[in-house]
Amino acid sequence: MEHLHTISHIEIPAPDFTKAIDFYTHVFGWGIELVTVGHYAFYTIGNTGRGGAFDSSLMPAPEKTGPQVVIDVEDISVMLKSIKTNGGEVILEKTEIPGGHGYYAAFKDPNGNYMQIHARQ
């Protein structure tokens, strides 16, 4: 297999399924394919064929616990405005990563999932 030992799928808790789908399609432009209405929906990121799923049977973990999901974006400031406009909450404003690794910010989506965004500038 070509993609052995890579992450193939990330499930995002979505107790409020509709809010999750609306938020990620509007903020990040992810494509959605409903599998079973009200429980599970696959998402794809751009034309990569990669993504994961929203699962309404999962509950968000407490902030900063477990694996952290970081989404690459072009402009953090623009994305933070979109996150707020679409029902998300900014937890950490744009912050420089030492060593020339760019910047990151943190937010909670409308279901309370703690997520991060990253940009080179």
Side-chain angles (χ1 to χ4, degrees):
M1 282 185 80
E2 181 180 325
H3 299 289
L4 287 177
H5 308 285
T6 64
I7 295 173
S8 65
H9 187 87
I10 296 175
E11 290 183 347
I12 298 175
D16 188 324
F17 201 62
T18 303
K19 281 185 181 179
I21 290 171
D22 288 346
F23 181 79
Y24 287 95
T25 56
H26 287 104
V27 175
F28 297 106
W30 293 357
I32 305 295
E33 176 190 342
L34 290 177
V35 175
T36 304
V37 175
H39 174 64
Y40 210 78
F42 288 106
Y43 62 83
T44 55
I45 300 169
N47 60 0
T48 65
R50 296 279 192 172
F54 299 112
D55 187 338
S56 65
S57 70
L58 299 177
M59 295 303 294
E63 188 174 313
K64 295 187 180 183
T65 62
Q68 301 296 292
V69 176
V70 181
I71 303 165
D72 280 328
V73 300
E74 194 168 328
D75 186 322
I76 287 179
S77 299
V78 169
M79 294 308 293
L80 290 176
K81 287 179 189 172
S82 182
I83 286 166
K84 291 177 194 174
T85 299
N86 287 284
E89 174 188 357
V90 174
I91 302 300
L92 178 68
E93 294 288 341
K94 183 177 179 179
T95 304
E96 186 173 3
I97 303 168
H101 297 284
Y103 298 84
Y104 79 106
F107 67 94
K108 282 188 181 179
D109 72 11
N111 278 293
N113 292 298
Y114 178 87
M115 309 285 270
Q116 299 176 45
I117 53 178
H118 168 265
R120 287 287 173 192
Q121 47 184 319

